[in-house]
Amino acid sequence: MWSGRFREPLDAVFEQWQRSFPFDVRLLPQEVAASKAHARMIAAAGILTDAELERMIEGLDQVGDITPEFAPLEPGMVNPRLLGAELGTTPRSIRRWLSRQPEFNESHVKHTRILLAKDDPLLLRMKNHFAIQANLNLDGDGACEEFPATTEADVAASMAHAEDIHHFVELQLSKVIGPLALKLHTGRSRNEQIATDMRLFVREAIDATAKGLRKWALALIELAEQAGDAVMPSYTHMQRAEPVLVAHWLLAYVSMIERDISRLTDARKRMNLCPLGSGAVAGATLALDRAIAARELGFDGPTANSLDATSDRDFLLEFTQALATLGGHISRFAEELTLYATAEFGFLDLPEAYSTGSSAMPQKKNPDFTELLRGKSARLVGATTTLAVLMKGLPLAYNKDLQEGQEPVFDAADTVRGILGILPGFTRSLKFNFERMRTAATTGYLNAMAAATYLSNKGVAFRKAHEIVGNAVRLGLQSGRELNELKIEELRGLSDVFADDFFDAITMEATLDCHDVMGGTARARVRAALAEARERLSSFAMAQV
Ligand code: ARG
């Protein structure tokens, strides 16, 4: 790809180590799409004839069809193709070596693939074997060139050579359409290619994340609707504060989700510009109509500056920041549920389908899912931290450091995709113990605010009302009674503003309904908020975020 200027071969171990192919192979669909767009752009500039363009597009489509080869395997399986690339040897030599091992049997073979479970001892032995070969600079079996020219073998051969996904597609395209493939690189650079591929990847990941978030929000809304007028304590400083509707509590998470969706859609708008035509750093050396490629790839237009376009990774930073923030929201939800599922709270029964037992203590039901949710948020913060540190102080324009920005983004996107695949179903299966929640909300003087409000509505200054109710609470504490169990004479001893209507002002219903402001927990307000949330979340769907 670039050996023209070099006389010495690369150090073999370094050569393997610096490759991005083992992880950027997943950008194959994006790389093919971007290459097709580039081909159309250079054809319009007269570099390709119509017939050549047609052949090139067909060839690229064929290369794109190799995708299933790289499709993720069942969890816990290893694909020798990818492993071969990683270890710097061919799948064929891996197969040959494997077939000579005594433990190797038919259970390892599926269709045309060899599959090894991640914990198969053969895998470790194989890794050792080939890694040692690589260290000894034996460079696989060196036989890839002699492969018969079947597609499968071609793929295998170029995988062993491919430095990155850009290189791989070019090698593959040469196999399919011959020397014409070499024209594809006219007027472009890998620096703009990787910037484009990553933008395409993030755009798709944003859409998938927003969809998943909407599903979770709808699950929370469903749960809130089912909760009706059920109440629970709210907490400040983790001390019981005031009663709220369970629906009100659940809607708090819907608000967070809506901000997360808006953060993602906002980042999407900003990143939806096409770097193609930026060249290596200073712009393409051909008079390209960059709007062609931008349009072809669904971008809003071309990027404005070639130095920036080839070195900008703000969109990775913004994307991972948004994921870290939403990971934090998920983690708070997970933490509350973990707490509420304890015997001490007893607000909910953990769904068995998402819990595990303890191998030591037979009575245990552990909240593994919510604990893992809390834990996963840490790696999302890790991803965005990596990106922030990576970008800080990096001179313009492209630097190879940027290659390190890919894996955290893939990991963060996969992590969130995994979580959002489970969270809506889990949320729907939650069963609350509304009795326990109500008991917790009706004890501990949670209506003290409502009591103070009663006095202040009767003209007592709030500070004074606060003090009077404080005295009433002390009275109750001394005798083990709630405010509604105090006698009117006792209360009048504290303030002659107290009258018989006091007791109606501190019932559960009155305590809720005195928060009759927008965003408050009055029953009518929550009902309206719930209906509005459902409305908004459904329209998110229609807008196809
Ligand atoms: N694999 C590289 C990356 O991810 C592609 C760009 C390489 N460009 C270069 N000039 N070496 O950043």
Side-chain angles (χ1 to χ4, degrees):
M1 192 166 43
W2 40 256
S3 56
R5 179 224 183 278
F6 284 76
R7 263 189 293 162
E8 276 188 46
L10 276 186
D11 176 275
V13 178
F14 166 68
E15 197 279 320
Q16 288 301 317
W17 177 84
Q18 57 94 43
R19 289 177 181 208
S20 53
F21 190 61
F23 51 84
D24 70 16
V25 60
R26 67 186 291 167
L27 295 173
L28 179 64
Q30 289 82 0
E31 176 68 13
V32 166
S35 294
K36 283 162 67 176
H38 178 75
R40 291 192 194 285
M41 192 164 59
I42 57 173
I47 301 294
L48 301 174
T49 65
D50 285 353
E52 283 175 328
L53 174 63
E54 201 177 314
R55 255 182 85 204
M56 199 169 272
I57 299 286
E58 274 170 26
L60 284 165
D61 279 334
Q62 271 188 54
V63 174
D65 285 342
I66 300 171
T67 315
E69 292 290 339
F70 308 110
L73 300 167
E74 304 95 288
M77 294 299 183
V78 171
N79 184 340
R81 283 193 191 295
L82 298 183
L83 197 67
E86 202 177 299
L87 296 175
T89 186
T90 62
R92 188 160 105 169
S93 48
I94 291 180
R95 276 168 196 249
R96 207 186 302 131
W97 181 84
L98 277 170
S99 61
R100 286 200 304 263
Q101 307 308 306
E103 300 90 326
F104 188 74
N105 59 53
E106 313 88 274
S107 78
H108 289 113
V109 182
K110 196 166 179 195
H111 308 304
T112 61
R113 285 168 170 168
I114 295 173
L115 299 178
L116 293 176
K118 284 221 167 92
D119 54 0
D120 194 316
L122 258 183
L123 180 64
L124 186 65
R125 205 132 54 73
M126 180 171 80
K127 281 197 164 184
N128 284 338
H129 174 81
F130 285 100
I132 288 165
Q133 280 204 346
N135 286 339
L136 292 175
N137 206 3
L138 294 179
D139 194 19
D141 62 3
C144 22
E145 248 66 313
E146 296 159 23
F147 272 144
T150 65
T151 313
E152 167 146 325
D154 285 344
V155 174
S158 33
M159 285 198 64
H161 288 308
E163 180 176 315
D164 55 28
I165 187 62
H166 323 298
H167 191 196
F168 174 77
V169 167
E170 234 180 275
L171 288 169
Q172 285 307 305
L173 191 62
S174 302
K175 300 268 158 63
V176 181
I177 64 169
L180 172 63
L182 300 177
K183 280 198 177 177
L184 178 60
H185 209 58
T186 314
R188 77 171 181 178
S189 152
R190 284 186 293 156
N191 298 352
E192 57 182 325
Q193 283 172 261
I194 189 62
T196 307
D197 292 356
M198 288 307 282
R199 280 180 194 244
L200 292 173
F201 177 88
V202 167
R203 203 173 63 182
E204 284 164 35
I206 283 178
D207 293 348
T209 309
K211 280 205 176 70
L213 282 173
R214 199 174 53 81
K215 272 198 192 134
W216 183 35
L218 288 170
L220 286 163
I221 287 172
E222 209 176 296
L223 209 57
E225 285 163 351
Q226 286 160 10
D229 282 351
V231 293
M232 66 187 287
S234 64
Y235 299 83
T236 65
H237 311 272
M238 209 56 226
Q239 305 287 323
R240 281 187 202 169
E242 293 186 89
V244 290
L245 287 178
V246 173
H248 193 56
W249 168 64
L250 292 167
L251 281 175
Y253 285 98
V254 175
S255 289
M256 295 179 223
I257 296 171
E258 289 189 73
R259 285 199 298 279
D260 290 327
I261 294 176
S262 108
R263 240 183 299 277
L264 287 165
T265 40
D266 185 43
R268 189 194 200 281
K269 273 182 225 132
R270 219 171 352 263
M271 60 148 288
N272 200 30
L273 296 171
C274 186
L276 288 184
S278 299
V281 58
T285 49
L286 286 173
L288 297 176
D289 179 359
R290 296 184 57 206
I292 296 176
R295 204 180 323 116
E296 190 73 15
L297 294 169
F299 286 114
D300 295 332
T303 49
N305 179 293
S306 60
L307 284 155
D308 178 50
T310 48
S311 66
D312 168 34
R313 296 293 184 275
D314 288 3
F315 60 100
L316 298 184
L317 189 55
E318 277 193 72
F319 173 57
T320 52
Q321 279 166 344
L323 295 193
T325 305
L326 78 88
H329 297 152
I330 291 171
S331 183
R332 292 181 85 172
F333 182 64
E335 167 60 10
E336 292 210 292
L337 293 186
T338 307
L339 214 53
Y340 293 165
T342 57
E344 284 71 10
F345 277 87
F347 288 179
L348 78 130
D349 206 19
L350 283 173
E352 288 195 7
Y354 301 92
S355 311
T356 62
S358 153
S359 56
M361 296 163 281
Q363 86 284 10
K364 293 284 291 281
K365 185 165 74 171
N366 291 330
D368 289 41
F369 180 58
T370 52
E371 290 174 298
L372 276 173
L373 289 179
R374 257 181 350 206
K376 295 279 180 200
S377 70
R379 58 200 288 165
L380 298 175
V381 175
T384 200
T385 306
T386 303
L387 263 304
V389 177
L390 183 69
M391 298 312 296
K392 182 206 81 73
L394 204 61
L396 301 186
Y398 178 85
N399 297 274
K400 187 90 168 196
D401 315 38
L402 292 173
Q403 185 169 290
E404 282 298 300
Q406 295 180 35
E407 285 167 288
V409 170
F410 295 151
D411 184 67
D414 292 344
T415 299
V416 169
R417 185 186 298 263
I419 290 173
L420 292 177
I422 305 172
L423 196 49
F426 167 83
T427 301
R428 240 178 242 112
S429 73
L430 288 174
K431 296 264 175 296
F432 294 110
N433 185 341
F434 291 129
E435 256 327 290
R436 285 278 299 218
M437 289 170 126
R438 189 175 181 92
T439 306
T442 41
T443 51
Y445 310 97
L446 272 68
N447 49 3
M449 264 291 270
T453 304
Y454 166 85
L455 292 177
S456 88
N457 282 346
K458 299 216 164 196
V460 181
F462 189 80
R463 290 260 182 262
K464 189 74 195 148
H466 183 282
E467 190 191 324
I468 297 167
V469 175
N471 290 334
V473 167
R474 190 139 43 81
L475 205 64
L477 281 170
Q478 281 161 2
S479 53
R481 289 175 299 167
E482 291 290 326
L483 289 180
N484 59 325
E485 293 167 328
L486 298 179
K487 295 212 174 57
I488 187 68
E489 302 79 52
E490 291 172 288
L491 290 164
R492 289 186 67 83
L494 300 172
S495 161
D496 57 14
V497 180
F498 283 113
D500 282 336
D501 60 354
F502 171 66
F503 297 101
D504 290 337
I506 59 164
T507 61
M508 177 56 73
E509 288 65 33
T511 305
L512 291 166
D513 289 345
C514 73
H515 300 86
D516 189 15
V517 287
M518 193 189 152
T521 199
R523 290 170 296 171
R525 294 287 184 172
V526 175
R527 256 193 302 279
L530 196 49
E532 282 160 21
R534 182 167 274 295
E535 174 86 30
R536 279 195 310 275
L537 266 301
S538 311
S539 71
F540 265 130
M542 291 192 287
Q544 264 296 319
V545 276

